[in-house]
């Protein structure tokens, strides 16, 4: 299979999953990759595994790089099954002399694959600052809890100044190209943003700590090889994704309002369009998504990329619309911060949805505007109030950016 040189002695030996469309609830409309990296030195090291079923593709690329030379070391940066699912099979095929991972990773591997199996892998537990020499290259390990799970760690190849941070800086993007500079960068950044929103948004504090730790350790980074998507190798691309992470983890966002809603008989939709008009009147960007027509993962990205988001719903059987309930459950887990938010919607003879949404959004500690609820169909005056709400939110968005 095709070999791809990342830098110096580091080769990409991953697998491409063109067809995955549901990644634990995240609609991956462009598929993904499971990146593994082989470092060819006096000792040969494989960094990361892949999802169950993709082991043969990784093995074919490994063998394409090193022939029948033994793979001496296996580094497991993260145990989520999209990276560890094929590890038992790969260990069987490659028989590495030693396996390196964090203490938490070893414990979870034992749960997933059985203590007796994992005990046979000759695991060496490593922690931040620990190093292993391959000959010309030295690997340094940096624990990165919650990026994405408690067990996660990064591997830094010192001589190549290359960071292999597993889930961090990734994108769910299947492509025949391996590097960000070979693909439309607007697509790469869109997928990086969506990935951050859906996978890493709850962990802003940990990401800030990780960025500080990289600074403290004085790591120079010339290339970043994440475990999903394309590799960042040009200085401007490395700077771009690191700066994006600094901004996202601090919940910075463009001057934009997202209107996220669903509708039964188009009353809530009419309100949405009136609010959107009010936002636009103030010269602020506005994006609109009906929940039943848009993937959840894209709507989560809208929340990441907007300084304000309002949620609209009709009342159905005294409750919010089911798609709105699903969205709020999802967004509660993603824990957005530093956002202006609010609720609006329509009802028939008795309300319920708007009050529920308002209460739910308040639990997130957002900067809330007063809700608007109308009965049956919004009147001219009520639509004018919606326009005014849009103008008010846009005004707050502009002030928040000062
Ligand atoms: Fe790509 Fe947390 O696994």
């Amino acid at each position: 299979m095709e070999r791809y040189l990342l830098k110096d002695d580091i080769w990409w030996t991953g697998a491409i999953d063109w067809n995955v469309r549901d990644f634990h609830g995240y609609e991956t409309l462009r598929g993904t990759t499971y990146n593994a990296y082989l470092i060819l030195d006096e000792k040969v090291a494989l960094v990361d595994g892949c999802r169950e079923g993709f082991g043969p593709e990784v093995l074919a690329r490994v063998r394409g790089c090193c022939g029948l030379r033994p793979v001496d070391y296996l580094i497991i940066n993260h145990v989520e099954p999209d990276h560890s699912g094929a590890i038992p099979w790969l260990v069987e095929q490659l028989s590495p002399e030693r396996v390196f991972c964090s203490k938490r990773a070893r414990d979870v591997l034992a749960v997933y694959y059985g203590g007796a199996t994992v005990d046979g892998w000759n695991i060496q537990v490593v922690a931040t600052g620990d190093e292993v020499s391959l000959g010309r290259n030295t690997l340094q390990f940096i624990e990165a809890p919650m990026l994405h799970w408690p067990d996660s760690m990064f591997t830094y190849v010192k001589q190549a100044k290359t960071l292999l941070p597993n889930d961090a800086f990734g994108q769910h993007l299947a492509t025949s190209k391996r590097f960000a500079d070979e693909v439309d960068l607007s697509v790469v950044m869109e997928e990086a943003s969506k990935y951050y929103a859906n996978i890493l948004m709850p962990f802003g504090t940990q990401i800030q700590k990780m960025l500080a730790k990289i600074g403290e350790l004085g790591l120079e980074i010339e290339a970043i090889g994440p475990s999903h998507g394309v590799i960042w190798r040009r200085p401007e691309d490395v700077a771009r994704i690191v700066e994006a992470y600094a901004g996202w983890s601090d919940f910075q966002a463009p001057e934009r309002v997202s209107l996220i809603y669903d509708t039964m008989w188009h009353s809530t939709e009419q309100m949405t369009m009136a609010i959107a008009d009010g936002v636009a009147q103030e010269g602020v960007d506005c994006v609109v998504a009906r929940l039943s027509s848009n993937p959840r993962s894209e709507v989560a990205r809208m929340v990441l990329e907007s300084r304000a988001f309002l949620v609209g719903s009709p009342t159905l059987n005294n409750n919010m619309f089911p798609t709105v309930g699903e969205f709020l459950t999802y967004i509660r887990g993603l824990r957005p911060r530093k956002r202006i938010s609010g609720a609006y919607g329509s009802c028939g003879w008795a309300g319920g949805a708007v009050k529920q949404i308002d209460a739910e959004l308040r639990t997130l500690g957002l900067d809330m505007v007063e809700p608007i609820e109308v009965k049956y169909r919004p009147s001219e005056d009520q639509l004018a109030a919606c326009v005014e709400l849009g103008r008010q939110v846009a005004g707050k968005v502009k002030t928040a950016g000062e």
Side-chain angles (χ1 to χ4, degrees):
M1 298 195 87
E2 187 59 44
R3 310 186 315 161
Y4 298 88
L5 183 63
L6 193 170
K7 194 171 189 291
D8 300 347
D9 299 311
I10 310 171
W11 295 81
W12 178 87
T13 54
I16 306 171
D17 191 347
W18 294 96
N19 292 310
V20 63
R21 290 294 178 271
D22 183 340
F23 201 102
H24 57 53
Y26 169 165
E27 301 91 342
T28 45
L29 303 183
R30 290 188 170 110
T32 195
T33 65
Y34 311 109
N35 297 339
Y37 299 93
L38 192 75
I39 305 165
L40 280 180
D41 202 331
E42 289 164 31
K43 289 284 188 184
V44 176
L46 178 64
V47 180
D48 287 323
C50 62
R51 193 173 190 144
E52 188 177 14
F54 289 85
E57 187 173 338
V58 168
L59 184 65
R61 292 188 201 279
V62 166
R63 288 294 170 225
C65 287
C66 71
L68 292 176
R69 275 187 72 188
V71 172
D72 303 286
Y73 299 151
L74 172 64
I75 319 299
I76 301 176
N77 278 326
H78 179 30
V79 298
E80 193 168 3
D82 55 319
H83 306 291
S84 74
I87 291 281
W89 186 83
L90 283 168
V91 169
E92 216 175 280
Q93 302 300 313
L94 298 170
S95 303
E97 173 188 320
R98 208 176 306 164
V99 173
F100 297 87
C101 66
S102 68
K103 182 183 177 309
R104 282 168 168 154
R106 184 195 58 189
D107 295 345
V108 182
L109 287 167
V111 175
Y112 273 137
Y113 307 112
T117 304
V118 169
D119 282 346
W121 292 355
N122 193 20
I123 287 182
Q124 181 173 333
V125 165
V126 289
T128 298
D130 288 352
E131 296 185 352
V132 60
S133 172
L134 304 180
R136 295 179 298 279
N137 296 280
T138 303
L139 307 184
Q140 183 178 358
F141 304 109
I142 303 128
E143 289 165 283
M146 304 320 293
L147 272 85
H148 161 228
W149 278 10
D151 60 277
S152 295
M153 71 174 192
F154 296 174
T155 297
Y156 178 64
V157 189
K158 288 175 92 168
Q159 286 71 15
K161 296 179 180 168
T162 296
L163 187 66
L164 305 175
N166 198 269
D167 276 344
F169 307 112
Q171 333 91 48
H172 282 316
L173 176 61
T175 160
S176 58
K177 304 294 185 185
R178 301 276 61 85
F179 299 97
D181 51 276
E182 298 177 312
V183 186
D184 181 341
L185 211 52
S186 63
V187 170
V188 179
M189 287 309 296
E190 179 186 317
E191 291 301 335
S193 161
K194 194 188 293 184
Y195 181 95
Y196 184 95
N198 287 275
I199 305 278
L200 295 173
M201 200 194 313
F203 309 120
T205 306
Q206 289 88 344
I207 287 163
Q208 299 257 306
K209 282 185 189 162
M210 176 272 290
L211 292 173
K213 174 62 80 184
I214 285 173
E216 277 167 36
L217 293 170
L219 303 190
E220 290 178 69
I221 299 176
E222 290 185 354
I224 299 176
S227 60
H228 299 290
V230 289
I231 297 160
W232 314 91
R233 66 174 171 183
R234 292 190 310 191
E236 60 267 41
D237 296 333
V238 170
R240 188 170 179 161
I241 190 64
V242 171
E243 277 166 26
Y245 266 58
W248 290 331
S249 59
D250 189 37
F251 289 93
Q252 294 168 16
E255 204 173 86
R256 180 178 298 131
V257 177
S258 281
L259 303 180
I260 297 158
Y261 78 103
D262 219 324
T263 198
M264 286 170 65
W265 296 108
H266 304 290
S267 295
T268 301
E269 190 159 66
Q270 283 183 13
M271 297 174 75
T272 304
M273 300 312 158
I275 297 167
D277 193 49
V279 175
Q281 285 177 25
E282 289 296 317
V284 170
D285 187 25
C286 185
V287 285
V288 173
R290 181 174 175 177
L291 285 163
S292 48
S293 308
N294 288 277
R296 190 190 308 115
S297 56
E298 179 52 31
V299 179
R301 189 176 90 86
M302 288 167 57
V303 172
L304 178 73
E305 296 286 6
S306 303
R307 231 173 261 171
F309 71 97
L310 304 187
V311 181
S313 175
T315 292
L316 176 66
N317 299 326
N318 302 112
N319 273 292
M320 66 180 90
F321 210 61
T323 50
V324 177
E326 181 192 280
F327 165 72
L328 288 175
T329 300
Y330 191 60
I331 210 72
R332 189 198 308 137
L334 294 177
R335 302 199 294 272
R337 293 197 285 116
K338 297 187 184 176
R339 293 289 179 273
I340 297 151
S341 193
Y344 64 94
S346 58
C347 62
W349 54 101
V354 171
K355 202 170 163 188
Q356 290 167 358
I357 297 166
D358 182 74
E360 182 66 39
L361 291 170
R362 283 180 193 279
T363 66
L364 293 171
L366 305 175
D367 178 7
M368 298 293 291
V369 296
E370 281 305 305
I372 296 185
E373 185 172 54
V374 308
K375 282 206 164 126
Y376 296 105
R377 187 69 87 207
S379 66
E380 286 298 314
D381 284 350
Q382 287 168 327
L383 287 175
C386 290
V387 172
E388 202 45 49
L389 174 64
R391 295 184 65 125
Q392 181 202 348
V393 172
K396 283 173 78 74
V397 158
K398 287 195 273 191
T399 310
E402 286 170 359

